[in-house]
Amino acid sequence: MSFSQLGLSAKVLAAIEAAGYKQPTPIQEQAIPHVLARRDVLGIAQTGTGKTAAFVLPMLTQLEQGRARARMPRTLILEPTRELAAQVAENFEKYGKNSKLNVALIIGGVSFDDQDAKLLRGVDVLIATPGRLLDHFERGRLLLSACELLIIDEADRMLDMGFIPDIERIGKLVPFTRQTLFFTATMPPEIQRIADTFLHNPVRVEVSRPATAAATITQLLCHTGRDPHEKRETLRRLIRGAENFKNAIIFCNRKREVALLHKSLVRHKFNAVALHGDLDQSARTAALDAFRKGEAKLLIASDVAARGLDIPDVSHVFNFDVPHHADDYVHRIGRTGRAGKLGTAITIVAPADSKSVAAIEKLTNMTIPWMEKSATVATEGDAPVEARPPREERSRGEHRRDRTPQPRRQHPDPARAPRSRPQRDHDEPDMSHLPAFLLRPVSIKA
Ligand code: AMP
């Protein structure tokens, strides 16, 4: 099927051609005609399936008729994170360049007054995170009574982030007669309940089973010990030893861990940025930009912060922590191996993680192989370490050195050997201030 058969306007078709898209993705093919027919749609699709364009393209066509009034947006898109909201706004810029629409981004962490001025001018498309939207509403700066179309994107992530009460409240502020599009990657019972209350006689469009990992991803497990210091060391070895490394996303379960790991990797001279909920907006945007442009090779992130971000071409995903929810594993590793490219996903497994690994294997219906011990025991060198450039950029000598684990070189006379202080990680006790005799091994006679 081609885009021209979906009922989109000539302006939108021209923008699609300019974007270089040859044919609609399955979610676009199935959803666009229903959206244009003003039906409610329940879309079950992950990011990477082209789901954003599945609602942005028909919206652009619909919005060509009519115009916005001050403080009364015509359409509303709710997103769980600021980055996702910004990404959807970028889609409107890309596909809407032939249409003169006012798009406003209402997210936390940026100036309230600029957003207010935009709302006053009249908005065709309002893209918002729930909290900031309700702030504007409570201040009396926004009315949702003229909103004809409501889109709830990443609904299951909204649930994880505790936004459902806000979403339900916003739902009551938008006229009952509106059209609603509801997208989620998974369908737990609570999301089914919300979908039932929001949607009227919806068309259900499902493009891939939530628990399928792309066949282009090599998945591996790697043993580590309980000690956090050892875990970080394991990760550093994995990064250094990674084949065909270009860049990587490293996932942690908690934002505190993201911050700690980021500090540790930077101290070890890795070119890394972090993305977690406690960073202010400008720091989050800067981190993401640096990673997208290739200036930073490692992005350390929590599930919440990274969910849904469109970062093409990631060669590796490392799970520093095994995710507690097996669904998250599928989302995480889906950041690599996109669009037919090859990717590698390595999960670091401590002894306490066996239950979570079993749940992942059950959900994905596969046994994930363990890495061979030899692949993970390379010693850490003394030289400053950096995320390695892609294989093709490395010289032959470097290549050989990287692959063969070298023991530390020994001084011929141990007594005169310079004392080298091992590189410390942040939670290892600092013993450099202790007198040497206290650090000498002692033998105690019975
Ligand atoms: P999404 O699932 O919305 O995050 O989209 C994933 C990526 O697919 C984005 O980078 C889009 O630019 C791209 N994309 C969307 N629709 C198409 C299409 N019909 N053909 C090729 N790429 C597309």
Side-chain angles (χ1 to χ4, degrees), residues 321-336:
D321 297 313
V322 181
H324 295 313
H325 302 291
D327 279 352
D328 283 333
Y329 176 82
V330 180
H331 290 301
R332 288 181 182 187
I333 70 165
R335 317 316 316 242
T336 184

Side-chain angles (χ1 to χ4, degrees), residues 380-401:
E380 291 203 273
D382 292 309
V385 283
E386 281 185 353
R388 303 186 318 163
R391 183 155 293 271
E392 57 274 19
E393 284 171 36
R394 279 185 270 148
S395 71
R396 273 205 177 159
E398 238 183 318
H399 185 100
R400 220 177 300 125
R401 195 176 63 222

